[in-house]
């Protein structure tokens, strides 16, 4: 399922070329109409603008077209974890959502999907651009400590078959004054030489499909996912400050990611290591 190395690449010296529209026909040929192992997606659409690609797919989750992908050139109402707003700039990002069904998965393991998407995103950035992206637990993609991509996973249905929407927003050609927050960055600012959004989208959706297929073929076992995640996670080994609901704080060293996808923190004070799920934490910050 390797991407076509001959896919068009824009001239990195031409700002207009960097923001050329996504090549939807190329993406469909590579990801929908392809035969053999590359055939994963049943449908792929690109829209000029929408409020939220996640919301759009959640609205059609019962129509039976999964797996399907929706990409937008501009998203006016994107959201992150804890309903944080995710800003966009037209044609400067890869904004993609994927609707998948997971027959037979344990509902308790759905929390692995944001981490799986993080693995796919890091691998895409590294392989296409050479930029040394890393994961900050649970699913922020960072370059030199600044966020280059965010992920939001939302459950569409739990029965009769679990259905989930995986949303990924990757900053590609945003300039410094276009960043939503000072702690963000883009592939362009990180020095990437290949900023072809069509290629990035193709590789991202391919990597996501391969990770999903591999997880399914291993009967939804999370051990291999946990190993892959640990290899890409910069949080493990850092001293951290975890802010929990009610403004309770836990200070210690992040020592592991367990097979439920929780971060394990060894407190500074005496006590056993504490495993914290993504849904049970408000902020996680590295400390000196």
């Amino acid at each position: 399922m390797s991407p076509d190395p001959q896919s068009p690449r824009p001239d990195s010296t031409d700002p207009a070329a960097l923001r050329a529209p996504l090549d939807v026909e190329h993406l469909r040929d590579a990801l929908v109409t392809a035969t053999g192992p590359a055939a994963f997606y049943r449908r792929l659409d690109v829209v000029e603008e929408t409020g939220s690609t996640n919301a759009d797919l959640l609205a059609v989750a019962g129509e039976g077209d999964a797996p399907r992908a929706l990409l937008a050139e501009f998203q006016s109402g994107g959201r992150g974890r804890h309903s944080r707003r995710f800003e966009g700039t037209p044609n400067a990002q890869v904004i993609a959502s994927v609707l998948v069904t997971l027959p037979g998965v344990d509902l308790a393991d759905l929390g692995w999907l944001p981490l799986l998407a993080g693995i796919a995103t890091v691998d895409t950035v590294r392989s296409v651009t050479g930029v040394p992206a890393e994961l900050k637990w649970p699913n922020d993609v960072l370059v030199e400590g600044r966020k280059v991509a965010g992920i939001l996973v939302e459950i569409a249905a739990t029965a009769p078959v679990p259905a989930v929407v995986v949303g990924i927003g990757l900053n590609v050609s945003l300039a410094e004054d276009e960043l939503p927050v000072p702690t963000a960055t883009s592939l362009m600012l990180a020095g990437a030489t290949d900023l072809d959004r069509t290629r990035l989208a193709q590789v991202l959706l391919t990597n996501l499909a391969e990770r999903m297929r591999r997880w399914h073929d291993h009967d939804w076992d999370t051990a291999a996912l946990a190993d892959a995640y640990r290899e890409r996670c910069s949080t493990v080994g850092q001293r951290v400050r975890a802010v929990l609901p009610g403004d309770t704080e836990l200070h210690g060293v992040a020592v592991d990611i367990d097979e439920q996808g929780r971060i394990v923190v060894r407190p500074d004070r005496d006590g056993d290591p504490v495993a914290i799920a993504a849904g049970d934490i408000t902020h996680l910050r590295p400390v000196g």
Side-chain angles (χ1 to χ4, degrees):
M1 200 188 293
S2 298
D4 178 4
Q6 303 303 317
S7 60
R9 297 183 182 182
D11 179 359
S12 62
T13 64
D14 181 357
L18 289 178
R19 296 188 178 178
L22 291 167
D23 186 342
V24 62
E25 294 307 322
H26 176 85
L27 291 172
R28 284 176 176 154
D29 287 346
L31 299 167
V32 180
T33 61
T35 58
F40 179 80
Y41 297 96
R42 298 180 63 181
R43 178 172 174 174
L44 182 148
D45 297 294
V46 176
V47 296
E48 190 69 23
E49 179 178 345
T50 189
S52 164
T53 51
N54 265 31
D56 292 346
L57 287 188
L58 287 169
V60 297
E63 295 182 4
D65 283 335
R68 67 183 286 184
L70 175 65
L71 298 97
E73 300 286 16
F74 175 66
Q75 183 171 256
S76 60
R79 293 164 292 118
R81 292 182 67 236
H82 304 297
S83 298
R84 298 180 186 121
R85 189 173 179 81
F86 186 88
E87 299 290 346
T89 297
N91 294 53
Q93 298 161 298
V94 172
I95 299 168
S97 293
V98 174
L99 171 66
V100 293
T101 54
L102 301 92
V105 73
D106 189 324
L107 294 180
D109 288 334
L110 292 180
W112 264 105
L113 276 168
L115 283 70
L116 180 152
I119 295 169
T121 306
V122 162
D123 288 353
T124 298
V125 171
R126 290 178 177 180
S127 65
V128 175
T129 72
V131 170
E134 299 177 310
L135 283 164
K136 171 182 173 289
W137 183 88
N139 53 13
D140 284 346
V141 180
L142 306 184
V143 176
E144 296 181 349
R146 299 174 71 183
K147 184 173 176 178
V148 74
I151 294 160
L152 177 66
V153 173
E154 297 180 278
I155 297 174
T158 57
V161 176
V164 179
V165 175
V166 179
I168 302 170
L170 173 63
N171 296 336
V172 179
S173 65
L174 292 173
E176 196 78 44
D177 61 358
E178 294 174 316
L179 297 173
V181 292
T183 53
T185 191
S186 70
L187 295 177
M188 182 180 73
L189 293 172
T193 55
D194 189 345
L195 297 172
D196 180 352
R197 291 188 309 126
T198 296
R199 177 170 169 76
L200 284 162
Q202 179 185 340
V203 176
L204 176 61
L205 292 173
T206 298
N207 285 340
L208 188 64
E210 288 180 341
R211 286 286 170 187
M212 289 295 305
R213 184 182 288 114
R214 197 178 309 171
W215 192 23
H216 172 272
D217 291 348
H218 285 83
D219 296 322
W220 309 115
D221 182 73
T222 63
L225 270 180
D227 287 341
Y229 186 89
R230 291 185 193 105
E231 291 173 3
R232 295 156 177 81
C233 182
S234 62
T235 309
V236 175
Q238 288 189 332
R239 290 198 69 253
V240 297
R241 176 174 65 91
V243 181
L244 307 176
D247 290 331
T248 302
E249 293 192 7
L250 173 66
H251 294 250
V253 176
V255 294
D256 196 11
I257 306 296
D258 71 12
E259 291 193 7
Q260 296 180 46
R262 300 177 301 181
I263 192 162
V264 180
V265 177
R266 185 177 65 237
D268 287 341
R269 297 181 178 180
D270 292 339
D272 294 331
V274 179
I276 309 169
D280 296 332
I281 196 166
T282 304
H283 293 288
L284 184 78
R285 297 283 185 267
V287 294

